[in-house]
Amino acid sequence: MMKFKYFNIFFLILFSFSCAKKDKNSKNVSTTSKPNLEKFEKNAIILRMTNSKDQKDSEFCWVFSSIAILESIYLEKNPKVNSDSINLSEWYFKESNGSDKYQGTMIAALNSYSKEIGIVSANDYKRSDNGKVFETTFLGEVMSPLELRDKLVGSLKFWSYAISPFISGWSAHPDPTALEGEEAYFVPRSSINNIIRKSLKLRAAIGYWFDSHVVVIYGAKYDTNGKALKYYIKDSYPPYFYERDADFVHTKIITLTGISNLDS
């Protein structure tokens, strides 16, 4: 479905996607450590999150963010599981899709690639394996990569929510690395606050693409009217965990990727 074709072409030119390393040392960012869930802030939602991981010189921020969301959703559904005990493989997730591409979208990773090749624990995959893993161990249980994917994802569906003042509803995904026919659900910028808040209230972290990078929002602090004041971010570059001013984030978001029907 390629309606609004010329607008989308302009969109692709305007926003090239390379997962370039970003300077976190700005007035909109304050570094924090991995969240301590025993110290909740008033009017805040903070989800459980796995340890930091570094994408190094790769362009796989979209993969690292996808894995971080799946790990966090599982931890939220299983509060007795220690967050340090979960470590899924980003390299398998990317390299086993049969493509030489170094770029892609979270929605492709979550809805397409993982469904085809499954997911494995980091201990069960080395890059020398060339994507060939037939079984993996997750929390002491041995299963196939596809069985682990089913365990983590289940019946969840993921959408990309693209920001536009001109388009509403489904149209071509604005990311130039999107799969052929891949779509996003277009919403106005004024919807961002509610989409993120609904996702967090449903205990699901959400990824966002800004400039040329993708990171994960795993928490937020709100005022008494439900307006976000700051977001808690997990990044695949140092400092890994930090806080960012919510209004600044809202102005930068190109797409959000998370569970379906958050705009309803």
Side-chain angles (χ1 to χ4, degrees):
M1 183 176 179
M2 295 297 292
K3 61 183 179 179
F4 303 103
K5 176 179 178 182
Y6 297 108
F7 173 81
N8 285 327
I9 290 174
F10 172 76
F11 209 110
L12 302 189
I13 295 172
L14 188 60
F15 297 109
S16 61
F17 185 87
S18 66
C19 277
K21 201 164 191 174
K22 292 293 172 184
D23 180 9
K24 303 298 188 308
N25 298 317
S26 75
K27 65 180 181 180
N28 297 299
V29 171
S30 58
T31 303
T32 185
S33 59
K34 185 180 174 183
N36 182 344
L37 298 181
E38 295 178 355
K39 296 182 179 180
F40 284 108
E41 291 193 60
K42 186 177 180 181
N43 297 324
I45 304 172
I46 304 177
L47 306 184
R48 301 183 70 201
M49 188 57 65
T50 49
N51 292 328
S52 59
K53 303 180 190 181
D54 198 317
Q55 71 179 75
K56 301 187 184 301
D57 60 350
S58 75
E59 296 181 347
F60 297 167
C61 56
W62 54 286
V63 177
F64 277 76
S65 294
S66 299
I67 287 291
I69 286 176
L70 293 179
E71 291 174 335
S72 179
I73 288 174
Y74 187 84
L75 288 172
E76 285 296 321
K77 289 181 176 179
N78 298 272
K80 293 183 179 180
V81 173
N82 189 317
S83 63
D84 295 337
S85 64
I86 295 181
N87 183 13
L88 303 176
S89 174
E90 290 81 13
W91 299 108
Y92 172 82
F93 205 40
K94 170 63 183 77
E95 294 175 356
S96 301
N97 63 50
S99 171
D100 291 329
K101 291 196 310 179
Y102 285 92
Q103 298 175 343
T105 66
M106 288 183 65
I107 204 66
L110 292 165
N111 283 348
S112 298
Y113 297 153
S114 67
K115 189 179 294 185
E116 294 171 6
I117 53 88
I119 300 169
V120 304
S121 295
N123 289 340
D124 296 321
Y125 181 69
K126 299 181 179 62
R127 300 189 71 179
S128 59
D129 291 338
N130 296 318
K132 296 179 180 179
V133 176
F134 300 102
E135 65 178 26
T136 187
T137 302
F138 181 74
L139 299 177
E141 183 180 355
V142 179
M143 62 192 75
S144 72
L146 288 175
E147 287 173 334
L148 179 52
R149 195 266 181 189
D150 289 341
K151 188 179 189 71
L152 295 168
V153 178
S155 60
L156 287 176
K157 303 294 183 185
F158 294 93
W159 288 6
S160 279
Y161 303 84
I163 311 304
S164 170
F166 309 112
I167 303 175
S168 61
W170 292 103
S171 189
H173 200 292
D175 191 327
T177 67
L179 297 175
E180 183 177 357
E182 194 172 305
E183 293 187 325
Y185 190 80
F186 282 76
V187 297
R189 195 165 296 277
S190 59
S191 297
I192 291 175
N193 186 88
N194 289 340
I195 288 174
I196 296 174
R197 189 164 186 260
K198 185 174 181 180
S199 184
L200 295 176
K201 289 179 73 174
L202 292 171
R203 318 309 295 178
I206 188 166
Y208 81 91
W209 168 28
F210 67 103
D211 296 339
S212 55
H213 193 44
V214 180
V215 297
V216 174
I217 297 173
Y218 67 88
K221 183 175 182 180
Y222 295 94
D223 66 16
T224 55
N225 296 316
K227 181 183 183 297
L229 301 174
K230 65 180 177 181
Y231 289 121
Y232 297 88
I233 308 294
K234 182 180 183 181
D235 201 327
S236 47
Y237 281 130
Y240 304 120
F241 293 100
Y242 53 89
E243 301 169 7
R244 179 158 258 178
D245 176 77
D247 286 339
F248 178 80
V249 170
H250 292 172
T251 64
K252 290 292 186 179
I253 289 174
I254 303 171
T255 64
L256 291 158
T257 299
I259 56 177
S260 61
N261 294 300
L262 292 175
D263 192 47
S264 59

